[in-house]
Amino acid sequence: MFTIAIVGRKNVGKTSLFNKLIDKNFLNLSGNFNSTIDCNYGILYFYEKLSIIIDTCSLSNFNFINNKEKLVINSNIINIIQHKFIYICKNVDLIFLLVDCSVGLVFDDIVLYNYFLKNKKKIYIVVNKIDLVKYDINLYLSTFYSLGVKILHPVSINNILSILKFLKFVFYKNFNFFDEKKIFFYRKIINSCINLEKYIIYVNNFFKKKMINLNFYNFDLIKIAILGKPNVGKSTLLNSILGEKKNIISKIPGTTRDFLYSFFYNKNNNYIILDTPGIDKNYKYTKIYFNKLFTFKIIIYIIDINIGLSKYDLLNLNLILDSGKILLLVFNKCDYYPKLNKNLYIKYLHIKYNFMKNINLYFMSAIDLNSRKINIFLNILYNNYYKYLKIKISSSNLTKILKKAINLYFFKRNYEFNIFSLKYAHFGGYYPFTIVIHGKKINKINLSYKNYLVNFYFKILDIKGINIILKFKEI
């Protein structure tokens, strides 16, 4: 196994090439210039050889890499990005230096090439956007030969054959390389690979041959996505759960611009947790955003308690529940209100928003989470997942609950007869959680009675965090 970093100045196509190489298009939703602010990781399995490929962040200039003075980490987001860039480049085995054929050789390309040459890194000059060249391509490539390289690798994102040709050259030259001194680095970046789930078997087999056990990939994976508006604490919560400063955080809204994966292990349970960009009413890709979360069945939706619930939050919560996701609503930044009466606040929410009676509410300060609070938090997620998605509910049990609800309803109201007749119920499936009820004259059932049945099933089944859909069929 060897590691590859795609490096280059902004807007040369690093993320586009990364998506092609890992055969996934999950990133860069913003479509903005210079949009990649954090590193993205993926597994490239080619010619039965395993590699980890890293899409590095976009930077305006690279003068900082030649500074002899040691950079000091501070809260400046640019400074954090620079440190991460240097850390990645020092530890990877190969460098793909991506340049723009349509622009030609520029100063930043020279700075990067000389830096890697000085640090004895193996470099491949990848000349992108050759499809944009209108005249003789050799004229454009000649400027890059002035660096002193013997071989250039012209590619186009739109031409998969040019990329395959380049990969064949790379993988033929580089066999399964493994540096035992970098085992911590390998473990750290493997946990962040977007497509790890697809290649778990290959990764496990490779590390077993090296007598290294990745024990947290032997079971089912619980998929969790963290959602919320910008600057509510999504990345802070993820960093607290992982116990490390993995994702870049700042007080500036919109710091997270990509979908960032993390794999972790807790109490024999395996999780994939996804940190997402903040969404608000000005976000143009709301539908695309939720479509990307199709395989994530558990949603942690974070609210800044200082701001409270907005109309757009309520819209998103309804979209999540209607799609059949398991929802945990988190009110963050509670450290601002040390005397907050949580029970009173929950009663207020239940009165104002009726649907909140059937979802889990959690109050926290993501920046101050300790291991005990994290375990309680993860236990709530775990119990919800296995309670609703793993246990099959029998038709006989659902029918008994239906009969009990009918008898209790008409007993309280002293009704002597029933216009409609409900006979039996059975489970209709997950996503959303559906119960099918069969009966006669079901068109006579009014909305209030349907809501009564839904609430009764919620109460008896002790279900929270999901939406129950009742479907009625005439017999």
Side-chain angles (χ1 to χ4, degrees):
M1 184 184 78
F2 53 94
T3 51
I4 304 165
I6 303 175
V7 178
R9 57 190 177 83
K10 57 186 179 182
N11 204 36
V12 292
K14 297 187 297 294
T15 301
S16 298
L17 178 61
F18 174 80
N19 286 337
K20 284 286 183 182
L21 293 178
I22 66 169
D23 191 26
K24 204 173 185 75
N25 189 20
F26 205 70
L27 306 169
N28 197 13
L29 285 182
S30 63
N32 294 329
F33 185 74
N34 191 23
S35 66
T36 304
I37 202 168
D38 210 335
C39 293
N40 303 303
Y41 308 85
I43 290 176
L44 177 60
Y45 192 75
F46 193 74
Y47 275 18
E48 296 185 354
K49 294 174 185 176
L50 189 70
S51 66
I52 299 173
I53 192 157
I54 305 167
D55 172 28
T56 57
C57 43
S58 295
L59 290 161
S60 299
N61 65 74
F62 295 92
N63 294 329
F64 67 93
I65 61 177
N66 291 322
N67 290 342
K68 293 183 180 179
E69 297 180 4
K70 189 175 180 180
L71 290 170
V72 179
I73 298 178
N74 55 44
S75 59
N76 188 328
I77 191 168
I78 296 175
N79 185 267
I80 295 169
I81 293 170
Q82 290 173 352
H83 272 88
K84 201 160 192 177
F85 178 85
I86 291 173
Y87 173 75
I88 293 295
C89 292
K90 280 185 177 179
N91 286 283
V92 293
D93 305 309
L94 300 178
I95 299 289
F96 289 175
L97 179 55
L98 202 62
V99 294
D100 190 337
C101 186
S102 62
V103 176
L105 188 67
V106 297
F107 179 72
D108 282 340
D109 299 333
I110 299 170
V111 170
L112 285 169
Y113 181 78
N114 290 333
Y115 172 76
F116 295 127
L117 205 64
K118 183 180 177 181
N119 286 276
K120 299 179 181 179
K121 287 289 181 182
K122 195 166 186 177
I123 317 167
Y124 290 94
I125 307 293
V126 185
V127 186
N128 192 23
K129 303 184 182 181
I130 57 172
D131 53 320
L132 299 180
V133 175
K134 296 180 180 179
Y135 304 104
D136 186 7
I137 191 172
N138 292 321
L139 293 174
Y140 290 85
L141 293 177
S142 61
T143 59
F144 298 106
Y145 281 113
S146 63
L147 290 171
V149 295
K150 294 181 179 179
I151 302 175
L152 295 174
H153 303 278
V155 300
S156 169
I157 302 301
N158 299 320
N159 186 353
I160 191 66
L161 293 176
S162 63
I163 297 174
L164 289 174
K165 182 181 177 181
F166 168 58
L167 288 179
K168 285 178 183 178
F169 180 86
V170 173
F171 278 78
Y172 177 75
K173 293 285 184 181
N174 298 278
F175 295 93
N176 281 340
F177 172 78
F178 186 82
D179 188 352
E180 292 184 358
K181 295 179 182 178
K182 294 181 180 178
I183 182 61
F184 176 77
F185 177 69
Y186 292 147
R187 279 182 176 274
K188 187 173 182 178
I189 61 177
I190 280 175
N191 292 348
S192 302
C193 288
I194 289 172
N195 54 348
L196 176 59
E197 188 180 8
K198 184 178 179 182
Y199 297 104
I200 283 178
I201 296 172
Y202 301 108
V203 171
N204 268 333
N205 290 340
F206 179 82
F207 277 90
K208 280 179 181 178
K209 289 178 183 177
K210 304 296 180 182
M211 304 300 290
I212 298 169
N213 185 25
L214 295 179
N215 59 346
F216 48 91
Y217 300 130
N218 297 329
F219 308 98
D220 291 336
L221 291 167
I222 302 172
K223 290 186 169 186
I224 304 167
I226 305 176
L227 271 67
K229 292 198 293 188
N231 207 32
V232 294
K234 298 183 294 297
S235 297
T236 305
L237 173 60
L238 178 58
N239 288 345
S240 296
I241 291 172
L242 299 177
E244 58 176 304
K245 293 180 180 180
K246 189 169 188 178
N247 293 347
I248 296 172
I249 58 174
S250 77
K251 294 181 180 179
I252 303 170
T255 301
T256 303
R257 299 180 188 175
D258 296 324
F259 287 85
L260 303 174
Y261 281 74
S262 296
F263 289 67
F264 70 99
Y265 172 81
N266 179 273
K267 291 186 176 180
N268 296 327
N269 301 315
N270 309 276
Y271 299 87
I272 304 175
I273 194 162
L274 181 69
D275 186 16
T276 62
I279 51 174
D280 57 25
K281 60 184 178 181
N282 297 320
Y283 199 83
K284 297 179 182 179
Y285 304 98
T286 304
K287 289 184 179 179
I288 299 173
Y289 192 102
F290 280 99
N291 288 338
K292 298 293 182 184
L293 305 175
F294 179 74
T295 60
F296 287 80
K297 306 308 179 186
I298 301 177
I299 303 293
I300 300 171
Y301 196 92
I302 302 183
I303 302 289
D304 186 342
I305 199 166
N306 298 293
I307 300 171
L309 281 157
S310 67
K311 290 182 179 178
Y312 196 71
D313 288 322
L314 294 171
L315 175 63
N316 290 332
L317 292 174
N318 284 324
L319 284 172
I320 293 165
L321 289 171
D322 289 343
S323 64
K325 311 288 187 186
I326 297 172
L327 174 65
L328 176 61
L329 187 59
V330 173
F331 289 88
N332 192 24
K333 304 185 182 180
C334 292
D335 51 315
Y336 289 94
Y337 302 99
K339 295 183 180 180
L340 175 68
N341 189 328
K342 295 176 184 177
N343 292 329
L344 191 63
Y345 192 73
I346 290 171
K347 284 182 180 179
Y348 161 74
L349 291 173
H350 286 177
I351 294 168
K352 190 170 183 180
Y353 309 106
N354 189 50
F355 74 95
M356 287 206 180
K357 295 177 182 178
N358 300 319
I359 62 175
N360 285 305
L361 306 178
Y362 196 88
F363 296 83
M364 68 161 63
S365 174
I367 203 167
D368 295 327
L369 282 181
N370 54 34
S371 58
R372 177 180 163 274
K373 290 180 180 178
I374 290 169
N375 285 331
I376 292 170
F377 183 69
L378 291 176
N379 281 339
I380 293 172
L381 297 174
Y382 172 82
N383 291 335
N384 283 355
Y385 179 78
Y386 279 98
K387 187 173 183 180
Y388 311 136
L389 304 183
K390 294 294 181 182
I391 300 174
K392 291 184 178 180
I393 301 172
S394 66
S395 299
S396 60
N397 188 33
L398 293 177
T399 303
K400 284 179 183 177
I401 296 171
L402 175 64
K403 297 294 184 184
K404 187 176 180 180
I406 294 169
N407 294 334
L408 188 62
Y409 183 85
F410 288 100
F411 175 76
K412 284 185 177 181
R413 288 156 182 79
N414 295 318
Y415 286 171
E416 295 180 358
F417 64 94
N418 188 357
I419 300 171
F420 49 85
S421 176
L422 302 180
K423 298 297 183 180
Y424 62 93
H426 65 84
F427 185 57
Y430 298 106
Y431 322 124
F433 191 94
T434 307
I435 297 172
V436 182
I437 298 175
H438 297 260
K440 294 180 179 180
K441 297 182 180 180
I442 57 173
N443 58 322
K444 301 291 184 181
I445 304 174
N446 57 35
L447 183 61
S448 63
Y449 190 71
K450 290 179 181 179
N451 290 335
Y452 162 75
L453 289 176
V454 168
N455 291 328
F456 198 86
Y457 272 110
F458 268 121
K459 184 179 179 180
I460 300 299
L461 295 174
D462 192 24
I463 291 179
K464 279 196 172 184
I466 65 170
N467 197 14
I468 293 181
I469 304 296
L470 294 184
K471 287 186 178 181
F472 294 87
K473 287 190 175 183
E474 187 78 28
I475 55 174

mmCIF file with all atom_site columns, all heavy atoms in Angstrom, residues 304-323:
data_model
loop_
_atom_site.group_PDB
_atom_site.id
_atom_site.type_symbol
_atom_site.label_atom_id
_atom_site.label_alt_id
_atom_site.label_comp_id
_atom_site.label_asym_id
_atom_site.label_entity_id
_atom_site.label_seq_id
_atom_site.pdbx_PDB_ins_code
_atom_site.Cartn_x
_atom_site.Cartn_y
_atom_site.Cartn_z
_atom_site.occupancy
_atom_site.B_iso_or_equiv
_atom_site.pdbx_formal_charge
_atom_site.auth_seq_id
_atom_site.auth_comp_id
_atom_site.auth_asym_id
_atom_site.auth_atom_id
_atom_site.pdbx_PDB_model_num
ATOM 1   N N   . ASP A 1 304 ? -28.490 25.717 17.272 1.00 0.00 ? 304 ASP A N   1
ATOM 2   C CA  . ASP A 1 304 ? -27.822 26.642 18.192 1.00 0.00 ? 304 ASP A CA  1
ATOM 3   C C   . ASP A 1 304 ? -28.884 27.168 19.153 1.00 0.00 ? 304 ASP A C   1
ATOM 4   O O   . ASP A 1 304 ? -29.814 27.866 18.746 1.00 0.00 ? 304 ASP A O   1
ATOM 5   C CB  . ASP A 1 304 ? -27.184 27.787 17.405 1.00 0.00 ? 304 ASP A CB  1
ATOM 6   C CG  . ASP A 1 304 ? -26.340 28.708 18.295 1.00 0.00 ? 304 ASP A CG  1
ATOM 7   O OD1 . ASP A 1 304 ? -26.527 28.676 19.527 1.00 0.00 ? 304 ASP A OD1 1
ATOM 8   O OD2 . ASP A 1 304 ? -25.517 29.462 17.755 1.00 0.00 ? 304 ASP A OD2 1
ATOM 9   N N   . ILE A 1 305 ? -28.762 26.831 20.426 1.00 0.00 ? 305 ILE A N   1
ATOM 10  C CA  . ILE A 1 305 ? -29.797 27.195 21.402 1.00 0.00 ? 305 ILE A CA  1
ATOM 11  C C   . ILE A 1 305 ? -29.904 28.706 21.577 1.00 0.00 ? 305 ILE A C   1
ATOM 12  O O   . ILE A 1 305 ? -30.931 29.226 22.005 1.00 0.00 ? 305 ILE A O   1
ATOM 13  C CB  . ILE A 1 305 ? -29.546 26.492 22.755 1.00 0.00 ? 305 ILE A CB  1
ATOM 14  C CG1 . ILE A 1 305 ? -30.826 26.493 23.601 1.00 0.00 ? 305 ILE A CG1 1
ATOM 15  C CG2 . ILE A 1 305 ? -28.381 27.138 23.495 1.00 0.00 ? 305 ILE A CG2 1
ATOM 16  C CD1 . ILE A 1 305 ? -30.789 25.570 24.781 1.00 0.00 ? 305 ILE A CD1 1
ATOM 17  N N   . ASN A 1 306 ? -28.834 29.433 21.232 1.00 0.00 ? 306 ASN A N   1
ATOM 18  C CA  . ASN A 1 306 ? -28.874 30.895 21.308 1.00 0.00 ? 306 ASN A CA  1
ATOM 19  C C   . ASN A 1 306 ? -29.810 31.487 20.262 1.00 0.00 ? 306 ASN A C   1
ATOM 20  O O   . ASN A 1 306 ? -30.373 32.566 20.457 1.00 0.00 ? 306 ASN A O   1
ATOM 21  C CB  . ASN A 1 306 ? -27.476 31.481 21.102 1.00 0.00 ? 306 ASN A CB  1
ATOM 22  C CG  . ASN A 1 306 ? -26.511 31.032 22.167 1.00 0.00 ? 306 ASN A CG  1
ATOM 23  O OD1 . ASN A 1 306 ? -26.653 31.380 23.317 1.00 0.00 ? 306 ASN A OD1 1
ATOM 24  N ND2 . ASN A 1 306 ? -25.533 30.227 21.789 1.00 0.00 ? 306 ASN A ND2 1
ATOM 25  N N   . ILE A 1 307 ? -29.970 30.785 19.140 1.00 0.00 ? 307 ILE A N   1
ATOM 26  C CA  . ILE A 1 307 ? -30.813 31.266 18.038 1.00 0.00 ? 307 ILE A CA  1
ATOM 27  C C   . ILE A 1 307 ? -32.176 30.604 18.070 1.00 0.00 ? 307 ILE A C   1
ATOM 28  O O   . ILE A 1 307 ? -33.203 31.225 17.800 1.00 0.00 ? 307 ILE A O   1
ATOM 29  C CB  . ILE A 1 307 ? -30.120 30.998 16.678 1.00 0.00 ? 307 ILE A CB  1
ATOM 30  C CG1 . ILE A 1 307 ? -28.778 31.731 16.633 1.00 0.00 ? 307 ILE A CG1 1
ATOM 31  C CG2 . ILE A 1 307 ? -31.008 31.419 15.518 1.00 0.00 ? 307 ILE A CG2 1
ATOM 32  C CD1 . ILE A 1 307 ? -27.922 31.371 15.446 1.00 0.00 ? 307 ILE A CD1 1
ATOM 33  N N   . GLY A 1 308 ? -32.206 29.317 18.404 1.00 0.00 ? 308 GLY A N   1
ATOM 34  C CA  . GLY A 1 308 ? -33.461 28.571 18.455 1.00 0.00 ? 308 GLY A CA  1
ATOM 35  C C   . GLY A 1 308 ? -33.872 28.028 17.099 1.00 0.00 ? 308 GLY A C   1
ATOM 36  O O   . GLY A 1 308 ? -33.124 28.102 16.118 1.00 0.00 ? 308 GLY A O   1
ATOM 37  N N   . LEU A 1 309 ? -35.049 27.462 17.037 1.00 0.00 ? 309 LEU A N   1
ATOM 38  C CA  . LEU A 1 309 ? -35.565 26.859 15.811 1.00 0.00 ? 309 LEU A CA  1
ATOM 39  C C   . LEU A 1 309 ? -36.100 27.924 14.862 1.00 0.00 ? 309 LEU A C   1
ATOM 40  O O   . LEU A 1 309 ? -36.865 28.799 15.259 1.00 0.00 ? 309 LEU A O   1
ATOM 41  C CB  . LEU A 1 309 ? -36.697 25.889 16.143 1.00 0.00 ? 309 LEU A CB  1
ATOM 42  C CG  . LEU A 1 309 ? -36.277 24.506 16.655 1.00 0.00 ? 309 LEU A CG  1
ATOM 43  C CD1 . LEU A 1 309 ? -37.411 23.894 17.446 1.00 0.00 ? 309 LEU A CD1 1
ATOM 44  C CD2 . LEU A 1 309 ? -35.899 23.607 15.515 1.00 0.00 ? 309 LEU A CD2 1
ATOM 45  N N   . SER A 1 310 ? -35.673 27.827 13.607 1.00 0.00 ? 310 SER A N   1
ATOM 46  C CA  . SER A 1 310 ? -36.201 28.721 12.575 1.00 0.00 ? 310 SER A CA  1
ATOM 47  C C   . SER A 1 310 ? -37.197 27.947 11.709 1.00 0.00 ? 310 SER A C   1
ATOM 48  O O   . SER A 1 310 ? -37.317 26.727 11.807 1.00 0.00 ? 310 SER A O   1
ATOM 49  C CB  . SER A 1 310 ? -35.058 29.258 11.716 1.00 0.00 ? 310 SER A CB  1
ATOM 50  O OG  . SER A 1 310 ? -34.472 28.210 10.964 1.00 0.00 ? 310 SER A OG  1
ATOM 51  N N   . LYS A 1 311 ? -37.879 28.673 10.828 1.00 0.00 ? 311 LYS A N   1
ATOM 52  C CA  . LYS A 1 311 ? -38.816 28.020 9.911  1.00 0.00 ? 311 LYS A CA  1
ATOM 53  C C   . LYS A 1 311 ? -38.094 27.051 8.985  1.00 0.00 ? 311 LYS A C   1
ATOM 54  O O   . LYS A 1 311 ? -38.616 25.991 8.632  1.00 0.00 ? 311 LYS A O   1
ATOM 55  C CB  . LYS A 1 311 ? -39.561 29.076 9.089  1.00 0.00 ? 311 LYS A CB  1
ATOM 56  C CG  . LYS A 1 311 ? -40.552 29.896 9.894  1.00 0.00 ? 311 LYS A CG  1
ATOM 57  C CD  . LYS A 1 311 ? -41.291 30.895 9.006  1.00 0.00 ? 311 LYS A CD  1
ATOM 58  C CE  . LYS A 1 311 ? -42.301 31.703 9.818  1.00 0.00 ? 311 LYS A CE  1
ATOM 59  N NZ  . LYS A 1 311 ? -42.992 32.702 8.977  1.00 0.00 ? 311 LYS A NZ  1
ATOM 60  N N   . TYR A 1 312 ? -36.865 27.418 8.603  1.00 0.00 ? 312 TYR A N   1
ATOM 61  C CA  . TYR A 1 312 ? -36.098 26.542 7.709  1.00 0.00 ? 312 TYR A CA  1
ATOM 62  C C   . TYR A 1 312 ? -35.660 25.272 8.428  1.00 0.00 ? 312 TYR A C   1
ATOM 63  O O   . TYR A 1 312 ? -35.610 24.192 7.832  1.00 0.00 ? 312 TYR A O   1
ATOM 64  C CB  . TYR A 1 312 ? -34.891 27.294 7.158  1.00 0.00 ? 312 TYR A CB  1
ATOM 65  C CG  . TYR A 1 312 ? -34.266 26.619 5.969  1.00 0.00 ? 312 TYR A CG  1
ATOM 66  C CD1 . TYR A 1 312 ? -34.922 26.595 4.738  1.00 0.00 ? 312 TYR A CD1 1
ATOM 67  C CD2 . TYR A 1 312 ? -33.031 25.990 6.067  1.00 0.00 ? 312 TYR A CD2 1
ATOM 68  C CE1 . TYR A 1 312 ? -34.366 25.967 3.648  1.00 0.00 ? 312 TYR A CE1 1
ATOM 69  C CE2 . TYR A 1 312 ? -32.461 25.357 4.974  1.00 0.00 ? 312 TYR A CE2 1
ATOM 70  C CZ  . TYR A 1 312 ? -33.128 25.358 3.768  1.00 0.00 ? 312 TYR A CZ  1
ATOM 71  O OH  . TYR A 1 312 ? -32.586 24.726 2.691  1.00 0.00 ? 312 TYR A OH  1
ATOM 72  N N   . ASP A 1 313 ? -35.344 25.388 9.730  1.00 0.00 ? 313 ASP A N   1
ATOM 73  C CA  . ASP A 1 313 ? -35.033 24.195 10.528 1.00 0.00 ? 313 ASP A CA  1
ATOM 74  C C   . ASP A 1 313 ? -36.230 23.251 10.566 1.00 0.00 ? 313 ASP A C   1
ATOM 75  O O   . ASP A 1 313 ? -36.082 22.031 10.416 1.00 0.00 ? 313 ASP A O   1
ATOM 76  C CB  . ASP A 1 313 ? -34.638 24.580 11.955 1.00 0.00 ? 313 ASP A CB  1
ATOM 77  C CG  . ASP A 1 313 ? -33.266 25.228 12.030 1.00 0.00 ? 313 ASP A CG  1
ATOM 78  O OD1 . ASP A 1 313 ? -32.367 24.786 11.293 1.00 0.00 ? 313 ASP A OD1 1
ATOM 79  O OD2 . ASP A 1 313 ? -33.101 26.173 12.813 1.00 0.00 ? 313 ASP A OD2 1
ATOM 80  N N   . LEU A 1 314 ? -37.416 23.807 10.791 1.00 0.00 ? 314 LEU A N   1
ATOM 81  C CA  . LEU A 1 314 ? -38.635 22.991 10.847 1.00 0.00 ? 314 LEU A CA  1
ATOM 82  C C   . LEU A 1 314 ? -38.902 22.301 9.514  1.00 0.00 ? 314 LEU A C   1
ATOM 83  O O   . LEU A 1 314 ? -39.313 21.141 9.480  1.00 0.00 ? 314 LEU A O   1
ATOM 84  C CB  . LEU A 1 314 ? -39.830 23.853 11.228 1.00 0.00 ? 314 LEU A CB  1
ATOM 85  C CG  . LEU A 1 314 ? -39.808 24.439 12.650 1.00 0.00 ? 314 LEU A CG  1
ATOM 86  C CD1 . LEU A 1 314 ? -40.937 25.440 12.828 1.00 0.00 ? 314 LEU A CD1 1
ATOM 87  C CD2 . LEU A 1 314 ? -39.899 23.329 13.693 1.00 0.00 ? 314 LEU A CD2 1
ATOM 88  N N   . LEU A 1 315 ? -38.632 23.002 8.415  1.00 0.00 ? 315 LEU A N   1
ATOM 89  C CA  . LEU A 1 315 ? -38.791 22.408 7.088  1.00 0.00 ? 315 LEU A CA  1
ATOM 90  C C   . LEU A 1 315 ? -37.837 21.227 6.910  1.00 0.00 ? 315 LEU A C   1
ATOM 91  O O   . LEU A 1 315 ? -38.228 20.154 6.434  1.00 0.00 ? 315 LEU A O   1
ATOM 92  C CB  . LEU A 1 315 ? -38.535 23.466 6.003  1.00 0.00 ? 315 LEU A CB  1
ATOM 93  C CG  . LEU A 1 315 ? -38.555 22.976 4.551  1.00 0.00 ? 315 LEU A CG  1
ATOM 94  C CD1 . LEU A 1 315 ? -39.934 22.442 4.182  1.00 0.00 ? 315 LEU A CD1 1
ATOM 95  C CD2 . LEU A 1 315 ? -38.144 24.093 3.602  1.00 0.00 ? 315 LEU A CD2 1
ATOM 96  N N   . ASN A 1 316 ? -36.582 21.415 7.331  1.00 0.00 ? 316 ASN A N   1
ATOM 97  C CA  . ASN A 1 316 ? -35.585 20.339 7.212  1.00 0.00 ? 316 ASN A CA  1
ATOM 98  C C   . ASN A 1 316 ? -35.931 19.145 8.100  1.00 0.00 ? 316 ASN A C   1
ATOM 99  O O   . ASN A 1 316 ? -35.755 17.989 7.698  1.00 0.00 ? 316 ASN A O   1
ATOM 100 C CB  . ASN A 1 316 ? -34.193 20.866 7.577  1.00 0.00 ? 316 ASN A CB  1
ATOM 101 C CG  . ASN A 1 316 ? -33.651 21.833 6.551  1.00 0.00 ? 316 ASN A CG  1
ATOM 102 O OD1 . ASN A 1 316 ? -34.005 21.759 5.369  1.00 0.00 ? 316 ASN A OD1 1
ATOM 103 N ND2 . ASN A 1 316 ? -32.802 22.746 6.974  1.00 0.00 ? 316 ASN A ND2 1
ATOM 104 N N   . LEU A 1 317 ? -36.427 19.421 9.299  1.00 0.00 ? 317 LEU A N   1
ATOM 105 C CA  . LEU A 1 317 ? -36.819 18.339 10.213 1.00 0.00 ? 317 LEU A CA  1
ATOM 106 C C   . LEU A 1 317 ? -37.959 17.510 9.628  1.00 0.00 ? 317 LEU A C   1
ATOM 107 O O   . LEU A 1 317 ? -37.973 16.278 9.734  1.00 0.00 ? 317 LEU A O   1
ATOM 108 C CB  . LEU A 1 317 ? -37.219 18.908 11.574 1.00 0.00 ? 317 LEU A CB  1
ATOM 109 C CG  . LEU A 1 317 ? -36.097 19.536 12.409 1.00 0.00 ? 317 LEU A CG  1
ATOM 110 C CD1 . LEU A 1 317 ? -36.664 20.177 13.660 1.00 0.00 ? 317 LEU A CD1 1
ATOM 111 C CD2 . LEU A 1 317 ? -35.031 18.512 12.770 1.00 0.00 ? 317 LEU A CD2 1
ATOM 112 N N   . ASN A 1 318 ? -38.910 18.172 8.998  1.00 0.00 ? 318 ASN A N   1
ATOM 113 C CA  . ASN A 1 318 ? -40.015 17.458 8.355  1.00 0.00 ? 318 ASN A CA  1
ATOM 114 C C   . ASN A 1 318 ? -39.537 16.615 7.178  1.00 0.00 ? 318 ASN A C   1
ATOM 115 O O   . ASN A 1 318 ? -40.011 15.495 6.972  1.00 0.00 ? 318 ASN A O   1
ATOM 116 C CB  . ASN A 1 318 ? -41.087 18.447 7.898  1.00 0.00 ? 318 ASN A CB  1
ATOM 117 C CG  . ASN A 1 318 ? -41.932 18.961 9.045  1.00 0.00 ? 318 ASN A CG  1
ATOM 118 O OD1 . ASN A 1 318 ? -42.222 18.220 9.975  1.00 0.00 ? 318 ASN A OD1 1
ATOM 119 N ND2 . ASN A 1 318 ? -42.296 20.229 9.009  1.00 0.00 ? 318 ASN A ND2 1
ATOM 120 N N   . LEU A 1 319 ? -38.568 17.154 6.409  1.00 0.00 ? 319 LEU A N   1
ATOM 121 C CA  . LEU A 1 319 ? -37.995 16.397 5.291  1.00 0.00 ? 319 LEU A CA  1
ATOM 122 C C   . LEU A 1 319 ? -37.290 15.137 5.788  1.00 0.00 ? 319 LEU A C   1
ATOM 123 O O   . LEU A 1 319 ? -37.391 14.067 5.192  1.00 0.00 ? 319 LEU A O   1
ATOM 124 C CB  . LEU A 1 319 ? -37.001 17.272 4.515  1.00 0.00 ? 319 LEU A CB  1
ATOM 125 C CG  . LEU A 1 319 ? -37.590 18.340 3.595  1.00 0.00 ? 319 LEU A CG  1
ATOM 126 C CD1 . LEU A 1 319 ? -36.479 19.237 3.057  1.00 0.00 ? 319 LEU A CD1 1
ATOM 127 C CD2 . LEU A 1 319 ? -38.334 17.699 2.434  1.00 0.00 ? 319 LEU A CD2 1
ATOM 128 N N   . ILE A 1 320 ? -36.572 15.277 6.908  1.00 0.00 ? 320 ILE A N   1
ATOM 129 C CA  . ILE A 1 320 ? -35.846 14.134 7.488  1.00 0.00 ? 320 ILE A CA  1
ATOM 130 C C   . ILE A 1 320 ? -36.826 13.069 7.965  1.00 0.00 ? 320 ILE A C   1
ATOM 131 O O   . ILE A 1 320 ? -36.656 11.876 7.683  1.00 0.00 ? 320 ILE A O   1
ATOM 132 C CB  . ILE A 1 320 ? -34.942 14.609 8.651  1.00 0.00 ? 320 ILE A CB  1
ATOM 133 C CG1 . ILE A 1 320 ? -33.804 15.493 8.115  1.00 0.00 ? 320 ILE A CG1 1
ATOM 134 C CG2 . ILE A 1 320 ? -34.363 13.415 9.411  1.00 0.00 ? 320 ILE A CG2 1
ATOM 135 C CD1 . ILE A 1 320 ? -33.093 16.284 9.194  1.00 0.00 ? 320 ILE A CD1 1
ATOM 136 N N   . LEU A 1 321 ? -37.859 13.476 8.689  1.00 0.00 ? 321 LEU A N   1
ATOM 137 C CA  . LEU A 1 321 ? -38.835 12.518 9.221  1.00 0.00 ? 321 LEU A CA  1
ATOM 138 C C   . LEU A 1 321 ? -39.642 11.868 8.103  1.00 0.00 ? 321 LEU A C   1
ATOM 139 O O   . LEU A 1 321 ? -39.910 10.661 8.143  1.00 0.00 ? 321 LEU A O   1
ATOM 140 C CB  . LEU A 1 321 ? -39.769 13.222 10.208 1.00 0.00 ? 321 LEU A CB  1
ATOM 141 C CG  . LEU A 1 321 ? -39.141 13.635 11.541 1.00 0.00 ? 321 LEU A CG  1
ATOM 142 C CD1 . LEU A 1 321 ? -40.090 14.507 12.327 1.00 0.00 ? 321 LEU A CD1 1
ATOM 143 C CD2 . LEU A 1 321 ? -38.735 12.418 12.359 1.00 0.00 ? 321 LEU A CD2 1
ATOM 144 N N   . ASP A 1 322 ? -40.016 12.640 7.095  1.00 0.00 ? 322 ASP A N   1
ATOM 145 C CA  . ASP A 1 322 ? -40.788 12.081 5.974  1.00 0.00 ? 322 ASP A CA  1
ATOM 146 C C   . ASP A 1 322 ? -39.981 11.074 5.159  1.00 0.00 ? 322 ASP A C   1
ATOM 147 O O   . ASP A 1 322 ? -40.549 10.180 4.529  1.00 0.00 ? 322 ASP A O   1
ATOM 148 C CB  . ASP A 1 322 ? -41.279 13.209 5.060  1.00 0.00 ? 322 ASP A CB  1
ATOM 149 C CG  . ASP A 1 322 ? -42.369 14.043 5.704  1.00 0.00 ? 322 ASP A CG  1
ATOM 150 O OD1 . ASP A 1 322 ? -42.957 13.570 6.703  1.00 0.00 ? 322 ASP A OD1 1
ATOM 151 O OD2 . ASP A 1 322 ? -42.637 15.167 5.232  1.00 0.00 ? 322 ASP A OD2 1
ATOM 152 N N   . SER A 1 323 ? -38.653 11.245 5.162  1.00 0.00 ? 323 SER A N   1
ATOM 153 C CA  . SER A 1 323 ? -37.801 10.303 4.419  1.00 0.00 ? 323 SER A CA  1
ATOM 154 C C   . SER A 1 323 ? -37.533 9.026  5.195  1.00 0.00 ? 323 SER A C   1
ATOM 155 O O   . SER A 1 323 ? -36.880 8.111  4.693  1.00 0.00 ? 323 SER A O   1
ATOM 156 C CB  . SER A 1 323 ? -36.475 10.979 4.051  1.00 0.00 ? 323 SER A CB  1
ATOM 157 O OG  . SER A 1 323 ? -35.743 11.312 5.220  1.00 0.00 ? 323 SER A OG  1
#
